[in-house]
């Protein structure tokens, strides 16, 4: 043996560590199915044939965690992948991700997953994995989100998958396919073995396979050649001879051309692919056949398994490390020993802990028998007593000055052991230290989730779980936009905010939205030509569309609740919060509102679909019940019975009445009857939650969201909607009621045949007529129309997907900010300023009339306006009054519908600070349809966003917003900045421009010179030609030709737009000139 081979033999010496064998039916010690080394920590992971994964720490193989990741019926664990979030395991029917501590992150199991076999990351830094198997569908899964992003059909059945520049997959027929990681198309195929591939590994541009071959007159056998392929040239190299039958192969992670090949008998051969004649042979001391071979990412350790359920760890006696970088492994704290207590007369009984219990204790008094009492008054300061003097009323003394003026002690007993959800930090606070805040809140979130799971798993639920309690919005100086709503919602179902009047309707609106028949009716009605201002069905459609587009982001039902609040009948029936007595029942009020909204839905739908509606004498497809909540304890105890509320019911209408079937009666009725009866399934319910004395009663909704999913699924998915807190909850918990705090108020059943009946055909039949003509209200129709507005030509200017439009809006204050100042001077916002849409302007983004407005609507506002915000809106008293305004006014419904139609037509909105405008408008626009110049000209590391006025001065040489704001001017300026942005991108100078803007802006506090002392003189000094007509010399010139895109054509000039043309550079003649020139130079 050569010296190099001797050194290698000395490096890899055998060290055998054996695990416990299988003991009876112990699922934790099932037969080993797969083994893998962790790439991030010093852990060895083992999967067994019962779906359980177990990890062992370090060379001593100390047991670390053991998790049931897959149900036993799915068979063995097939493969592991490792991510910074945890461990991904694969079984035949599911993919599972859990943290290394054992907490489940997500579990994906689809009906089409029938025989999964392999998976791989799509790249070294990618967070997406490709999962395949012996089936005709592959899945692309996002590890961060835990969702199937794409289903890819395939005609091949894959058994092994590896990543090395390409995706290398082995088929069940012995072929190897090379897939492109981006397109997943096959770019090369060859047959490695005649029957099948037993093992395969790819690393360092080489692929090595071991497989089975057929014999003419005998059973199949392991091929005595290990096939080698070059992944750079996509060609086959000289195979490696292995007389013992190559069964397992691993590529060394550090030695580029070194491969380890092993047989089932334990013979291990280390061979150089470039010099196959140089080999190093070891023999593992195994009493049975070898089942697997795994190499650690560091190359310092091997793991072999055999039929005796034993793991053999190989490595160096001097050096043993699994991963390349030893990340610390978190261990549980050792429990402190219990103190010894001697029972005698001197030991108080209160020092002895209570045993674990599940039943409700006799000492747990009901809330109506408990009330708060004040603490005993504090003793008067002795110094005060000494200086006490008689007074006409009582006594007086000198103030010792130990407290602030008017400051007093809190004498109420506050609950010290009550567990509540900790409010998150404001977004502005997180931006200062994002890394630490994310880790801190992740720990807090994990703690709260763990506590909630413990409470929900109890049998009695005597205490109200945290997730069912009141949630409140905290306000910073930046208002409600600074509140972190995503802290309360990790799902893709959006919640509704609570800082709006009549927001007690939120749970009922969510329930309507997840009822497909109601949802379809509302959206089809909204897409029609209905322009009635008081149409609640239209507002409901706007709200449902916003909730679906938000995809988990928090929303608010501002426009719907505003329309609901002005209906006279709503006030007469006592459904408005402003007119509601404090002693009124919330459950009674929501039931009245439920009946009223259903009648209003029927009335509004007749306005548009009156000719299409038919009167049928049959049971409707949607059944809505108001639950009769008896005040007696016997009546409320009925709801507490397990299974009292059925998930499915059958309805049979006969001449004598209606018969309802459930459970076994329903099954028997369906099998015995020749004519099938309609079966209804429970969509969800509105639930009254009485949290006790310290919290006011409130309403939540529990909804089976699977019914309204577009993809077919048999499993129910119950979710809790507690305003803006949304959380998945088990079915047993959703259908369990407690007379003391949780009772149903309203229930909805829908016919089962309409499950997943989501009709989106309304998107193709939008009535867009209101975009092409004036919509002024009758009282204001005689006023002069917009002089600068040119209506769209429906034949040549119809908005299409991707068409750019510039938008800006102005708002007025409808309610002043409500604040509370404590005795210590702390200022807390109780309710923020409520703004109302007052003007919206939309301009063409391209075409012959580019930058010409086709919408410039002033909104007629009937409620009192507390502040016109003239400095920021340009609006004055009387501008929004139909009897006095010189502008053509429209209703809020018409103005909103125009924006909503543009949104669903797929246009791209260009503007400055659009998220705030869209939020106040009460509309959600996906990010793909927004071009916000705030974000386009922004460097995250600078932690400062630039104003539209400063950007207009610096890049366009215009001083806008001098006296007031104008939405047409602001939208046009944003459009020009967008085109400037595209110019800079084409010229590849954007980063340089951004850095220069921030450097120059910092000198002058990011304000145009006109706002600074001596601003006019400064501006003229920087730009002798004046603000109008300035030119820029930004950019780069290559070979005498200008690069980049020309500024929009000359018709912009006719609309008042001016600015620099394509950035043009100058040749660098020396080092000092090797830079781009500023627009102001």
């Amino acid at each position: 043996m050569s010296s190099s081979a001797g050194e290698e033999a000395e490096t890899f010496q055998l060290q055998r560590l054996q695990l416990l064998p299988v003991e009876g039916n112990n699922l934790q010690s099932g037969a080993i199915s797969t083994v893998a080394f962790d790439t991030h920590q010093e852990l060895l992971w083992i999967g067994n044939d019962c779906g359980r994964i177990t990890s062992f720490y370090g060379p001593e193989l100390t047991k670390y965690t053991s998790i049931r990741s897959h149900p036993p019926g799915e068979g063995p664990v097939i493969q592991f992948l490792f991510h910074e979030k945890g461990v991904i395991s694969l079984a035949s029917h599911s993919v599972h991700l859990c943290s290394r501590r054992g907490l489940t992150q997500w579990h994906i199991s689809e009906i089409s997953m029938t025989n999964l076999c392999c998976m791989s990351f799509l790249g070294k830094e990618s967070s997406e994995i490709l999962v395949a198997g012996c089936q005709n569908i592959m899945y692309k899964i996002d590890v961060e989100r835990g969702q199937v992003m794409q289903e890819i059909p395939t005609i091949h059945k894959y058994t092994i998958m590896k990543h090395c520049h390409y995706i290398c997959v082995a088929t069940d027929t012995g072929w190897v396919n090379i897939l492109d990681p981006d397109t997943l198309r096959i770019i090369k195929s060859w047959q490695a073995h005649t029957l099948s591939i037993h093992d395969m590994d790819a690393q360092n541009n080489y692929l090595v396979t071991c497989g089975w071959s057929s014999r003419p007159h005998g059973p199949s056998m392991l091929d005595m050649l290990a096939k080698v392929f070059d992944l750079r040239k996509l060609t086959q190299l000289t195979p490696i001879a292995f007389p013992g039958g190559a069964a397992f192969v691993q590529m060394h992670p550090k030695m580029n051309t070194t491969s380890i090949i092993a047989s089932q008998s334990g013979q291990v051969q280390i061979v150089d692919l470039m010099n196959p004649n140089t080999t190093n042979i070891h023999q593992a001391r195994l009493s049975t056949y070898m089942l697997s071979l795994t190499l650690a990412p560091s190359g310092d350790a091997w793991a072999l398994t055999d039929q005796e359920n034993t793991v053999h760890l190989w490595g160096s006696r001097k050096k043993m490390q699994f991963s390349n970088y030893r990340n610390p492994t978190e261990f549980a704290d050792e429990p402190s020993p219990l103190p010894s207590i001697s029972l005698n007369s001197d030991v108080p009984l209160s020092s002895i802990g209570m045993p674990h219990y599940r039943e409700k204790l006799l000492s747990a008094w009901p809330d109506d028998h408990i009330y708060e009492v004040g603490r005993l008054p504090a003793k008067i300061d002795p110094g005060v007593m000494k200086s006490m003097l008689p007074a006409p009323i009582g006594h007086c003394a000198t103030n010792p000055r130990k407290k602030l003026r008017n400051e007093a002690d809190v004498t109420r007993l506050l609950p010290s052991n009550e567990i509540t959800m900790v409010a998150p930090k404001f977004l502005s606070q997180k931006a200062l230290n994002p890394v630490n805040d994310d880790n801190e809140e992740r720990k807090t979130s994990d703690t709260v989730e763990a506590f909630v799971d413990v409470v929900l798993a109890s049998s009695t639920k005597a205490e109200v779980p945290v997730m069912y309690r009141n949630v409140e919005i905290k306000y910073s100086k930046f208002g409600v936009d600074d509140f972190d709503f995503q802290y309360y919602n990790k799902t893709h179902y959006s919640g509704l905010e609570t800082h709006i009047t009549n927001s007690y309707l939120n749970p009922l609106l969510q329930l309507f939205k997840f009822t497909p028949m109601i949802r379809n009716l509302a959206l089809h009605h909204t897409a029609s030509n209905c322009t009635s201002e008081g149409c609640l069905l239209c507002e409901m459609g706007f709200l449902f569309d916003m909730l679906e587009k938000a995809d988990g982001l928090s929303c608010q039902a501002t426009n719907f609740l505003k329309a609901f609040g002005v209906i006279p009948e709503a006030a007469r029936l006592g459904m408005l919060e402003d007119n509601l007595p404090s002693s009124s029942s919330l459950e009674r009020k929501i039931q009245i509102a439920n009946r009223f909204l259903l009648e209003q839905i029927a009335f509004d739908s007749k306005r548009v679909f009156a000719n299409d509606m038919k009167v049928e004498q049959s049971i409707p497809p949607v059944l809505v019940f108001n639950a009769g909540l008896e005040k007696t304890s016997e009546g409320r105890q009925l709801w507490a019975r397990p299974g009292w509320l059925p998930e499915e019911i059958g309805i049979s209408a006969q001449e004598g009445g209606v018969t309802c079937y459930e459970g076994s009666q329903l099954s028997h009725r369906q099998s015995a009857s020749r004519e099938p009866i309609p079966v209804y399934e429970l969509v969800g319910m509105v639930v009254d939650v009485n949290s006790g004395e310290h919290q006011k009663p409130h309403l939540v909704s529990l909804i089976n969201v699977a019914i309204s999913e577009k993809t077919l699924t048999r499993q129910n998915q119950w979710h809790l909607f507690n305003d803006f807190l949304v959380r998945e909850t088990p079915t047993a918990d959703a259908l369990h009621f407690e007379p003391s705090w949780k009772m149903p108020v309203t229930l909805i059943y829908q016919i089962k045949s309409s499950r997943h009946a989501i009709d989106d055909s309304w998107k193709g039949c939008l009535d867009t007529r209101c975009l092409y003509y004036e919509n002024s209200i009758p009282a204001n129709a005689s006023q002069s129309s917009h002089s600068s507005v040119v209506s769209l030509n429906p034949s040549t200017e119809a908005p299409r997907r991707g068409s750019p439009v510039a938008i800006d809006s102005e708002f007025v204050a409808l309610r002043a900010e409500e604040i509370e100042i404590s005795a210590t001077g702390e200022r807390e916002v109780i309710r923020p300023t409520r703004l109302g849409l007052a003007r919206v302007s939309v301009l063409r983004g391209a075409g012959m009339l580019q930058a010409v407005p086709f919408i410039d609507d002033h909104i007629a506002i009937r409620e009192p306006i507390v502040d016109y915000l003239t400095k920021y809106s340009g609006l004055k008293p009387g501008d929004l009054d139909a009897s006095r305004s010189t502008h053509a006014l429209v209703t809020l419904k018409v103005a909103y519908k125009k924006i909503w139609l543009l949104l669903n037509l797929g246009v791209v909105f260009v503007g400055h600070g659009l998220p705030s405008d869209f939020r106040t408008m009460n509309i959600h626009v996906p990010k793909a349809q927004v071009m916000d110049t705030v974000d386009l000209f922004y460097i995250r590391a600078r932690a400062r966003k630039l104003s539209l006025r400063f950007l207009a001065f610096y890049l366009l040489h215009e001083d806008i917003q001098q006296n007031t704001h104008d939405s047409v001017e602001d939208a046009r300026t944003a459009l020009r900045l967008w085109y400037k942005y595209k110019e800079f991108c084409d010229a590849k100078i954007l980063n340089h421009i951004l850095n220069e803007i921030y450097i120059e802006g910092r000198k002058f506090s990011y304000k145009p010179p006109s706002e600074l002392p001596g601003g006019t003189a400064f501006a003229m000094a920087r730009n002798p030609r004046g603000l109008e007509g300035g030119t820029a010399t930004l950019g780069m010139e290559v070979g005498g030709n200008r690069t980049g895109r020309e500024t929009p054509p000359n018709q912009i000039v006719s609309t008042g737009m001016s600015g620099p043309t394509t950035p043009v550079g100058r040749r660098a003649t020396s080092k000092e000139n090797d830079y781009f020139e500023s627009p102001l130079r």
Side-chain angles (χ1 to χ4, degrees):
M1 184 181 295
S2 63
S3 59
S4 60
E7 293 175 358
E8 192 174 17
E10 184 179 355
T11 302
F12 296 98
Q13 296 188 17
L14 180 62
Q15 183 180 14
R16 181 182 181 189
L17 296 175
Q18 186 174 9
L19 299 179
L20 293 175
V22 179
E23 297 179 359
N25 296 324
N26 186 0
L27 295 181
Q28 297 189 20
S29 303
I32 296 174
S33 58
T34 184
V35 178
F37 288 95
D38 201 316
T39 58
H40 293 73
Q41 297 184 13
E42 294 295 296
L43 296 174
L44 175 67
W45 290 86
I46 298 175
N48 66 13
D49 58 359
C50 300
R52 180 174 290 275
I53 62 176
T54 307
S55 62
F56 297 87
Y57 177 77
E60 297 80 12
L61 295 185
T62 305
K63 190 173 182 180
Y64 181 63
T65 52
S66 183
I67 313 112
R68 167 72 64 78
S69 59
H70 303 276
E74 293 189 1
V77 179
I78 300 173
Q79 185 183 348
F80 290 114
L81 287 179
F82 301 99
H83 189 265
E84 60 182 6
K85 293 185 64 175
V87 182
I88 307 170
S89 59
L90 178 71
S92 59
H93 295 78
S94 62
V95 187
H96 184 88
L97 172 67
C98 64
S99 66
R100 289 169 175 82
R101 295 182 301 160
L103 299 177
T104 297
Q105 306 298 314
W106 49 256
H107 184 90
I108 299 176
S109 179
E110 302 285 346
I111 298 178
S112 57
M113 292 181 177
T114 57
N115 192 4
L116 302 179
C117 297
C118 54
M119 60 181 175
S120 172
F121 283 103
L122 292 177
K124 288 185 177 181
E125 304 298 331
S126 175
S127 291
E128 293 183 344
I129 62 174
L130 181 66
V131 182
C134 294
Q135 57 179 46
N136 57 2
I137 297 178
M138 299 189 297
Y139 306 90
K140 184 187 290 186
I141 298 177
D142 190 329
V143 178
E144 297 287 346
R145 301 175 62 182
Q147 294 180 353
V148 177
M149 307 303 295
Q150 185 181 0
E151 293 186 359
I152 305 100
T154 178
I155 60 175
H156 301 281
K157 296 181 179 179
Y158 295 128
T159 57
I160 306 174
M161 184 181 300
K162 300 291 181 180
H163 176 268
C164 180
H165 303 298
Y166 301 103
I167 302 296
C168 308
V169 285
T171 69
D172 62 342
T173 57
W175 284 75
V176 175
N177 291 343
I178 305 299
L179 308 183
D180 186 288
D182 298 325
T183 63
L184 298 182
R185 295 180 179 177
I186 299 176
I187 60 177
K188 182 71 175 180
S189 296
W190 58 74
Q191 188 170 14
H193 305 275
T194 57
L195 288 183
S196 63
I197 297 176
H198 189 260
D199 197 8
M200 178 179 75
D201 196 18
Q203 199 163 321
N204 303 324
N205 298 315
Y206 295 101
L207 173 70
V208 184
T209 65
C210 300
W212 295 88
S213 299
S214 59
R215 291 190 295 179
H217 304 288
S220 59
M221 62 176 292
L222 285 170
D223 202 332
M224 290 184 291
L225 294 175
K227 304 299 180 66
V228 183
F229 304 90
D230 189 336
L231 295 178
R232 290 171 298 183
K233 300 180 180 179
L234 296 179
T235 57
Q236 186 171 353
L237 302 180
T238 304
I240 300 173
F242 195 90
F248 310 101
V249 62
Q250 288 283 290
M251 293 293 296
H252 198 284
K254 293 183 178 179
M255 302 177 183
N256 294 342
T257 60
T258 300
S259 177
I260 297 96
I261 306 173
S263 67
Q264 290 182 330
S265 61
Q267 182 182 347
V268 181
Q269 177 176 311
I270 304 172
V271 60
D272 189 344
L273 300 180
M274 297 295 99
N275 188 11
N277 297 325
T278 303
T279 61
N280 188 2
I281 300 176
H282 297 271
Q283 179 64 44
R285 299 176 183 176
L286 304 176
S287 57
T288 58
Y289 284 110
M290 183 191 299
L291 297 181
S292 68
L293 169 65
T294 305
L295 189 61
S298 63
D300 298 337
W302 306 351
L304 291 73
T305 61
D306 59 20
Q307 289 182 329
E308 291 183 347
N309 216 48
T310 303
V311 176
H312 302 262
L313 187 66
W314 280 30
S316 172
R317 299 182 186 274
K318 301 178 182 179
K319 180 181 179 182
M320 175 67 72
Q321 181 175 332
F322 295 167
S323 60
N324 289 319
Y325 306 100
R326 287 190 176 182
N327 295 324
T329 302
E330 184 179 359
F331 290 92
D333 297 333
E334 295 184 1
S336 57
L338 297 175
S340 58
I341 300 176
S342 58
L343 296 178
N344 52 54
S345 58
D346 296 332
V347 177
L349 294 179
S350 59
S351 63
I352 303 175
M354 291 288 290
H356 178 72
Y357 62 91
R358 285 184 175 273
E359 292 74 20
K360 190 173 182 178
L361 299 179
L362 296 176
S363 58
W365 290 77
D367 291 334
D368 54 353
H369 287 68
I370 302 174
Y371 57 92
E372 290 184 353
V373 296
R375 293 186 299 185
L376 293 175
K379 292 183 179 181
I380 300 177
D381 189 276
V384 174
M385 295 295 296
K386 292 180 180 179
S387 61
M388 192 77 70
L389 298 174
I393 301 177
H395 292 70
C396 64
T398 305
N399 189 354
R401 303 288 182 182
K402 294 184 178 181
K403 296 179 181 178
L404 297 176
R405 183 180 296 275
N406 298 325
E407 183 180 1
D409 291 329
V410 178
T411 58
R412 282 288 182 187
L413 288 175
L414 299 178
S416 59
N417 57 348
E418 183 180 2
I419 300 180
T420 58
M421 175 168 281
V422 181
K425 290 185 177 181
F426 292 114
L427 297 178
S428 57
Q429 295 174 334
K430 290 184 177 181
L432 300 177
N433 193 4
V435 177
N436 294 339
D437 286 339
D438 288 345
N439 295 335
E440 193 174 304
E441 292 205 354
R442 188 179 298 112
K443 294 179 181 178
T444 304
S445 179
D446 290 345
T447 304
V448 173
E449 290 288 329
F451 167 75
V452 172
D453 290 337
V454 171
V455 174
L456 295 180
S458 63
S459 60
T460 60
K461 297 185 179 67
E463 295 294 333
V464 180
V466 173
M467 293 299 176
Y468 281 86
R469 299 181 186 179
N470 294 89
V471 288
E472 296 182 357
I473 300 176
K474 301 295 182 182
Y475 305 100
S476 70
K477 64 180 180 180
F478 301 106
V480 70
D481 295 340
D482 201 23
F483 188 76
D484 186 10
F485 289 101
Q486 293 187 359
Y487 176 83
Y488 295 90
N489 183 5
K490 306 298 183 184
T491 71
H492 63 276
Y493 304 106
S494 297
L496 291 172
E497 299 170 15
T498 59
H499 64 287
I500 312 166
T501 306
N502 300 319
S503 59
Y504 76 93
L505 289 172
N506 286 349
L508 185 61
L509 294 174
Q510 290 278 19
L511 186 55
F512 284 168
K513 187 261 176 186
F514 285 99
T515 305
M517 302 294 287
I518 299 178
R519 177 257 185 204
N520 295 339
L521 175 63
L523 287 172
H524 276 275
H525 179 85
T526 306
S528 68
N529 61 348
C530 177
T531 57
S532 174
E533 186 177 6
C535 179
L536 290 183
L537 191 56
C538 276
E539 298 295 345
M540 202 175 291
F542 292 143
L543 176 62
F544 293 168
D545 184 51
M546 177 173 59
L547 288 170
E548 291 183 359
K549 285 183 170 63
D551 193 30
L553 298 178
S554 181
C555 298
Q556 49 186 345
T558 306
N559 291 349
F560 177 88
L561 296 178
K562 181 185 294 185
F564 175 80
V566 298
I567 298 178
E569 190 176 357
R572 182 177 60 83
L573 294 175
M575 294 184 292
L576 304 183
E577 284 185 339
D578 295 339
N579 305 328
L580 184 67
S582 58
S583 60
S584 62
S585 170
L586 197 60
E587 60 192 39
R588 178 63 177 163
K589 185 171 63 170
I590 195 67
Q591 290 183 341
I592 297 174
N594 176 41
R595 185 182 184 90
F596 171 76
L597 289 178
L598 291 175
E599 294 175 350
Q600 196 70 27
I601 289 173
F603 174 77
D604 291 339
S605 62
K606 292 178 183 178
R607 296 180 181 179
V608 178
F609 306 117
N611 298 329
D612 299 334
M613 299 182 67
K614 299 179 181 179
V615 179
E616 297 183 1
Q617 299 295 331
S618 62
I619 303 175
V622 178
L623 303 178
V624 184
F625 299 95
N626 280 339
L629 300 181
E630 300 292 340
K631 297 301 181 182
T632 61
S633 59
E634 292 81 4
R636 298 176 73 90
Q637 285 295 335
L638 289 175
W639 288 101
R641 292 182 180 178
W644 170 257
L645 180 63
E647 291 190 74
E648 292 185 359
I649 58 173
I651 303 293
S652 175
Q654 301 174 353
E655 297 181 359
V658 177
T659 306
C660 180
Y661 301 91
E662 61 173 284
S664 58
Q665 295 180 350
L666 175 60
S667 302
H668 178 73
R669 178 69 171 79
Q670 288 179 310
S671 59
S673 177
R674 295 182 179 179
E675 297 182 0
I677 62 174
V679 178
Y680 293 77
E681 58 182 342
L682 180 63
V683 177
M685 69 208 84
V686 177
V687 174
D688 178 51
V689 176
N690 187 359
S691 302
E693 185 178 358
H694 302 299
Q695 292 193 349
K696 61 182 180 180
H698 65 290
L699 300 171
V700 303
S701 54
L702 290 160
I703 303 173
N704 182 9
V705 298
I707 295 176
S708 59
E709 290 287 345
K710 296 181 182 180
T711 56
L712 301 180
T713 176
R714 301 175 185 174
Q715 297 180 349
N716 292 331
Q717 300 175 15
W718 284 89
H719 280 65
L720 166 69
F721 290 83
N722 185 2
D723 291 322
F724 52 83
L725 186 152
V726 183
R727 180 182 188 274
E728 188 173 2
T729 185
T731 303
D733 176 72
L735 302 180
H736 178 84
F737 303 103
E738 279 290 338
S740 60
W741 64 272
K742 178 187 176 185
M743 292 299 292
V745 179
T746 298
L747 305 96
I748 291 185
Y749 284 85
Q750 181 183 258
I751 194 165
K752 196 171 183 179
S753 59
S754 295
R755 186 183 179 103
H756 309 300
I758 302 300
D759 184 7
D760 284 337
S761 60
W762 59 271
K763 296 181 180 180
C765 54
L766 293 170
D767 191 310
T768 60
R769 283 178 288 179
C770 66
L771 291 174
Y772 304 108
Y773 60 85
E774 293 289 340
N775 309 96
S776 301
I777 59 178
N780 187 247
S782 61
Q783 300 295 337
S784 61
S785 60
H786 313 294
S787 58
S788 61
V789 174
V790 179
S791 299
L792 291 175
N793 187 332
S795 59
T796 60
E797 295 183 302
R800 294 179 175 85
R801 183 169 300 279
S803 302
V805 296
I807 186 172
D808 192 69
S809 53
E810 310 294 352
F811 305 94
V812 294
L814 302 179
R815 186 186 61 205
E817 181 182 63
E818 299 179 19
I819 62 174
E820 184 179 82
I821 300 178
S822 63
T824 58
E826 294 181 359
R827 183 178 182 272
E828 182 179 2
V829 179
I830 304 302
R831 278 195 175 184
T833 302
R834 183 164 69 90
L835 301 177
L837 181 64
R839 182 186 180 187
V840 59
S841 303
V842 185
L843 286 62
R844 296 166 174 85
M848 297 299 296
L849 297 178
Q850 179 176 297
V852 175
F854 63 92
I855 296 176
D856 187 17
D857 291 339
H858 289 70
I859 288 82
I861 299 179
R862 295 184 175 87
E863 53 187 315
I865 300 175
V866 298
D867 191 351
Y868 279 85
L869 305 174
T870 304
K871 181 179 179 181
Y872 306 101
S873 67
L875 301 171
K876 301 177 181 178
D879 285 350
L880 307 180
D881 188 344
S883 61
R884 297 189 296 158
S885 178
T886 60
H887 306 284
L889 302 182
V890 300
T891 62
L892 177 63
K893 165 77 174 292
V894 171
Y896 184 91
K897 188 164 187 177
K898 291 180 182 179
I899 307 302
W900 183 80
L901 287 172
L902 292 174
L903 166 65
N904 284 282
L905 288 172
V907 304
V908 176
F909 293 96
V910 181
H912 192 84
L914 291 182
S916 177
D917 288 1
F918 289 146
R919 178 180 175 83
T920 310
M921 286 184 198
N922 198 208
I923 193 171
H924 180 85
V925 181
K927 291 183 179 180
Q929 290 181 245
V930 176
M931 287 293 173
D932 195 334
T933 53
V934 167
D935 298 324
L936 297 182
F937 296 95
Y938 173 59
I939 299 178
R940 185 177 297 274
R942 302 280 184 171
R944 182 189 182 94
K945 295 188 176 181
L946 305 177
S947 67
L948 180 66
R949 187 177 183 185
F950 177 75
L951 289 173
F953 169 77
Y954 192 86
L955 296 176
L956 305 179
H957 308 294
E958 291 187 359
D959 195 2
I960 64 173
Q961 303 173 354
Q962 294 187 25
N963 299 319
T964 184
H965 287 232
D966 181 84
S967 56
V968 174
E969 179 187 46
D970 292 351
R972 182 176 292 130
T973 303
L975 181 63
R976 295 182 60 196
L977 288 173
W978 179 51
Y979 277 109
K980 278 293 172 190
Y981 172 82
K982 295 201 291 184
E983 289 180 14
F984 298 151
C985 290
D986 286 350
K988 298 181 180 179
I989 58 172
L990 177 63
N991 292 333
H992 174 80
I993 294 296
L994 291 179
N995 288 323
E996 192 175 68
I997 291 175
Y998 275 94
I999 292 173
E1000 293 294 327
R1002 187 175 182 182
K1003 297 178 182 178
F1004 307 103
S1005 301
Y1006 301 97
K1007 296 179 180 179
S1010 59
E1011 293 188 34
L1012 302 174
T1016 304
F1018 173 81
M1020 294 301 296
R1022 297 288 285 176
N1023 184 10
R1025 300 184 183 181
L1027 294 178
E1028 296 294 335
T1031 59
T1033 56
L1034 282 165
M1036 187 188 325
E1037 188 173 344
V1038 181
N1041 296 324
R1042 293 186 298 175
T1043 62
R1045 191 197 319 268
E1046 289 290 343
T1047 302
N1050 295 330
Q1051 58 265 27
I1052 297 180
V1053 179
S1054 65
T1055 61
M1057 297 182 68
S1058 62
T1061 57
T1062 303
V1064 181
R1066 54 184 184 180
R1067 294 182 182 271
T1069 57
S1070 63
K1071 293 184 178 179
E1072 62 180 352
N1073 290 333
D1074 191 15
Y1075 62 90
F1076 294 101
E1077 197 169 19
S1078 166
L1080 297 181
R1081 293 192 178 99

